């Protein structure tokens, strides 16, 4: 029945002291699917993303990637998993300022053991399609905000991940550039067969995603979990 | 201004826990460097104090009309320790007494320093007390070089043969004086010069360190300040805020440093130099100097902060966008080579000590000048050849910010310069050979040799000391040599000291006291004692300078390592979120320190050795090379350790999954 489901969180609960950031969330992401997470500030979007991505351990519930339990793994394994199976795009500040753009993109490959020359060569192939032609040698400080986010997108996708997580990837950009960047992200992920989980405040972004889920006070709003096998599970 | 203070205070308070860690690091750095700065200055002042107290023993000759007293100074010994004996005679009544004595010693009277008085009390009179039969009082501390110094002031009649003009021998020949002020002696000046050189060697790293501490404040703030600039704060306001913050922090640090130094003085006073420890008061450099330090350190830190801020102020985007840093100029290398090349020329000949000290500071600054340039070069090579991510990250980081990398390793590299310099310079103990200590000698004019020999035999017999008395030497000066002989009576009771032992030697010496007026008997080893002391002190100084430099360097390495983690916490945290193993980040951090350390440390040691070459008289010595080795190993371990200390910080800083802009 879980055919097509790549990543799945069930009954996720996360507390910070007395704050209940996640209060029993179920979410399944299918292969190649783009899911937008929306909701007011402080509702638990980032926490949900962190739990799904193996950055945080939920206090209760489970996360599985292609049927493998993620939440029980040790930090070292989760770290390896994030490196090899996931890609990340954050709001800003994720590129190493002293590395040229192409080396920033090549870094995940090198961490995975690809020799430097091949990693850089492979990284370069991403620049043209993402509209970054000629910027391979620029350093992040010399790029515009939108260009830097495209480099980050290339870096997230270069290892061929199963899922790309993006937490407000356009939050620091003006609206036009933001839409542009988000479009690039969605299409590039789809083109590479990667699922996408993106946290956003921009309702427009939903247009490019297959599905929008809404978080309120640590719960998914009912009616927003279309996967039949989990229907009704969002508001326990 | 008061608005700036308020905002600065808010920024400091509002910086959160990490902001406080950063502020604490700055404060600690300033405190440490202030404490060492106080020490460096105080050491020079302390030698000045010693020289002042000792000055009266180097009398300034007065012409006959103005002379009120005659003064001669000689050396005596007791079991290898030196006793300074000043013999004084008043030429008229009512002459002011020599320093430390309550009144002018009457002929035959002896005034002893507390340590000598105690020694006389504890020792059987036939070994020591017999030399001072009529002890009249105790000398006050104001006349002593160090608390344990053995000094005797003996009163004489003006016509005493001991004060006869032209008596030869060691010490100061009898001199007519108008008062007991005197001037600094040659030994004291030598010590002051050495202290000055040591001071220069320590001050430069300290200044570099203080500057680094200031930059640390700025680095912590530059992001926020650039943001303020973007919001529209005027350059004056931005500078004002940062400088006020830096100065306030530095002032607090400087006060803590002075307090720390003062708390340490009782310990520091125990360091033995020139045969004795220190009066704690000697290590107090005075209110004026202390205030000077308290003023200078915050000003220096403030000035450094202004320099560090220049880029933010010039362009609001300067820091926010992290432009390519300006290339390091080849000019630096040229300046470095010029200075190093000029050094042997400057150092040769009998240049004054100050010139030498300045000349010494120059290559030191030159190493500092060329450091960042070479670091950038190393980075380019590393980045170009890197195959593994850690190596690549390290190389790129060195190219990006060679100055900050240099700040981490520069201190140790400069210590390498010191070590290379003194490693070659410090003379070995074997330089003076190993003179015998089992016989006493008395130098006399050839004409008196026979009389003195007979007199010695008579006195020794009377004192019951079995000894052989011979005369050696040729020309118009002879040595009457007294060798105590092994026991003639093997059955002597256990209570009496064994023949040939130090006790017997002292009995012989005491018996011979006054045989030749104004001159005591000494062993060849004792004759070498002042030279040996100086050599030992140079070694002590070397160890102190190296220890201080090493401590400063390691502390600064630790602080810069920690602050570089704090500066880059967001990027590090996001890299870790994306699955970059911490071990890769740690390895990169290690390489970005170790590689320049190896290259620059080695280069500095070589530069130091090269600069020391013109001063080397006696060839290499084991102690120096050993100190060098210890320094190299210690510096290495220190920097690696300091870097390792910030690993937990890296862990905790990157553990927070929601990286906030702060
Ligand atoms: N590390 C943390 N420590 C303590 N509380 C936290 C932590 N991270 C999140 N929280 C709390 O958990 C709740 C959810 O936070 P989360 O960051 O997931 O919100 P969000 O939906 O991403 O908000 P935003 O849209 O503003 O980014 C909030 O109340 C927040 O204060
Ligand atoms: Mg969030």
């Amino acid at each position: 029945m879980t055919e097509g489901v790549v990543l799945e969180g069930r009954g996720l609960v996360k507390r910070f002291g007395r704050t209940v950031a996640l209060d029993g969330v179920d979410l399944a992401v299918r292969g190649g699917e783009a899911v937008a997470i929306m909701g007011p500030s402080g509702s638990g979007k980032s926490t949900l993303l962190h739990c799904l991505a193996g950055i945080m351990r939920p206090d209760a519930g489970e996360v599985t990637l292609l049927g493998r339990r993620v939440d029980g793994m040790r930090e070292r394994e989760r770290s390896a998993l994030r490196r090899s199976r996931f890609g990340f795009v954050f709001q800003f500040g994720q590129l190493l300022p002293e590395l040229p753009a192409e080396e920033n993109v090549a870094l995940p490959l090198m961490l995975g053991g690809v020799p430097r020359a091949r990693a850089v060569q492979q990284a370069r192939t991403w620049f043209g399609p993402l509209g970054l032609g000629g910027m391979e040698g620029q350093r992040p400080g010399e790029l515009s905000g939108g260009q830097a986010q495209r480099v980050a997108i290339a870096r997230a996708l270069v290892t061929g991940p199963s899922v790309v997580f993006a937490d407000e990837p356009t939050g620091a950009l003006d609206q036009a550039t933001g839409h542009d960047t988000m479009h690039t992200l969605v299409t590039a992920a789809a083109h590479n067969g990667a699922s996408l989980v993106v946290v956003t405040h921009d309702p427009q972004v939903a247009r490019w995603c297959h599905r929008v889920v809404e978080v309120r006070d640590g719960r998914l709003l009912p009616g927003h979990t279309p996967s039949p096998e989990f229907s009704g599970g969002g508001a326990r | 201004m008061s608005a700036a203070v308020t905002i600065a205070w808010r920024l400091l308070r509002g910086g959160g826990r990490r902001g406080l860690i950063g502020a604490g690091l700055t404060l600690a750095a300033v405190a440490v460097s202030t404490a060492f700065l106080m020490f460096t200055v105080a050491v020079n002042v302390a030698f000045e104090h010693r020289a002042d107290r000792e000055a009266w023993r180097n009398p300034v000759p007065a012409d006959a009309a103005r002379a009120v007293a005659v003064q001669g100074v000689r050396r005596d010994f007791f079991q290898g320790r030196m006793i300074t004996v000043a013999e004084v005679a008043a030429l008229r009544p009512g002459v002011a007494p020599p320093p430390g004595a309550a009144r002018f010693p009457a002929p035959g009277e002896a005034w002893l320093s507390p340590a000598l008085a105690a020694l006389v009390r504890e020792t059987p009179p036939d070994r020591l007390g017999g030399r001072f039969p009529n002890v009249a009082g105790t000398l006050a501390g104001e006349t002593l070089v160090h608390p344990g110094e053995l000094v005797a002031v003996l009163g004489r009649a003006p016509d005493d043969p001991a004060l006869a003009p032209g008596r030869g021998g060691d010490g100061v020949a009898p001199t007519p004086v108008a008062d007991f002020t005197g001037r600094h002696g040659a030994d004291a000046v030598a010590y002051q010069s050495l202290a000055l050189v040591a001071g220069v060697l320590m001050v430069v790293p300290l200044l570099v360190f203080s500057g680094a501490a200031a930059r640390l404040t700025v680095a912590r703030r530059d992001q926020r300040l650039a943001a303020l600039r973007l919001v529209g704060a005027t350059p004056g306001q931005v500078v004002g805020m940062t400088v006020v913050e830096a100065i306030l922090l530095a002032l607090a640090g400087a006060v803590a440093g002075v307090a720390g130094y003062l708390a340490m003085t009782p310990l520091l006073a125990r360091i033995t130099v020139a045969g004795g420890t220190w009066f704690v008061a000697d290590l107090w450099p005075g209110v004026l100097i202390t205030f000077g330090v308290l003023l200078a350190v915050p000003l220096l830190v403030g000035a450094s902060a202004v320099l560090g801020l220049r880029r933010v102020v010039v362009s609001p985007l300067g820091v926010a966008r992290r432009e390519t840093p300006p290339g390091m100029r080849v000019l630096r290398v040229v300046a470095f080579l010029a200075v190093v090349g000029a050094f042997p020329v400057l150092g040769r000949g009998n240049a004054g000590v100050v010139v030498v000290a300045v000349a010494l500071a120059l290559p030191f600054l030159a190493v500092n000048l060329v450091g960042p340039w070479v670091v950038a070069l190393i980075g380019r090579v590393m980045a170009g050849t890197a195959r593994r991510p850690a190596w690549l990250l390290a190389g790129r980081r060195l190219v990006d910010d060679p100055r900050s990398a240099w700040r981490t390793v520069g201190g140790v590299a400069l210590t390498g310069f010191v070590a290379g310099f003194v490693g070659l310079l410090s003379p070995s103990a074997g330089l003076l050979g190993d003179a015998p200590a089992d016989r006493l000698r008395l130098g006399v004019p050839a004409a008196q040799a026979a009389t003195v020999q007979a007199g010695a035999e008579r006195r020794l017999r009377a004192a019951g000391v079995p000894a052989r008395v011979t005369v050696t030497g040729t020309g118009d000066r002879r040595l009457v040599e007294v060798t105590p002989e092994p026991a003639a009576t093997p059955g002597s009771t256990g209570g009496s000291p064994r023949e040939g032992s130090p006790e017997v030697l002292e009995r012989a010496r005491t018996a011979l006291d006054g045989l030749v007026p104004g001159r005591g008997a000494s062993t060849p080893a004792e004759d070498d004692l002042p030279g040996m002391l100086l050599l030992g002190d140079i070694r002590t100084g070397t160890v102190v300078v190296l220890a201080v430099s090493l401590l400063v360097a390691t502390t600064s390495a630790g602080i810069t390592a920690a602050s570089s983690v704090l500066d880059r916490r967001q990027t590090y945290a996001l890299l870790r979120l994306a699955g970059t193993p911490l071990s890769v980040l740690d390895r990169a951090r290690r390489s970005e320190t170790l590689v320049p350390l190896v290259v620059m440390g080695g280069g500095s040691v070589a530069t130091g050795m090269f600069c020391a070459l013109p001063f080397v008289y006696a060839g290499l010595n084991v102690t120096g090379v050993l100190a060098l080795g210890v320094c190299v190993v210690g510096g290495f371990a220190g920097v690696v350790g300091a870097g390792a200390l910030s690993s937990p910080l890296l862990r905790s800083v990157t553990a927070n999954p929601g990286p906030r802009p702060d």
Side-chain angles (χ1 to χ4, degrees), chain B residues 130-215:
Chain B
R131 303 179 212 175
F132 315 107
N134 180 12
V135 177
T138 304
L139 293 168
E142 72 203 58
T143 184
L144 302 179
V145 171
H146 55 82
E149 200 191 12
L150 306 180
V151 181
V153 178
L154 306 183
R156 296 283 187 221
D159 56 354
D160 192 292
L163 291 178
R167 87 158 158 79
D170 52 25
V172 178
T175 311
V177 293
D179 54 33
F180 288 103
T181 46
R183 60 180 160 225
H184 290 180
D187 281 1
V189 171
Y191 273 104
Q192 281 176 289
S193 320
L194 288 174
L196 186 64
V197 171
V200 171
L201 288 177
M202 288 193 289
V203 155
V204 178
L206 281 175
L207 294 185
V208 173
F209 181 36
S210 306
R215 301 268 160 75

Side-chain angles (χ1 to χ4, degrees), chain A residues 16 19 21 39-47 56 168 201, chain B residues 656-657 660:
Chain A
F16 296 105
T19 315
S41 179
S43 55
K45 304 182 295 292
S46 297
T47 308
M56 256 178 206
E168 299 183 43
H201 281 293
Chain B
N656 187 351
R660 312 272 182 256

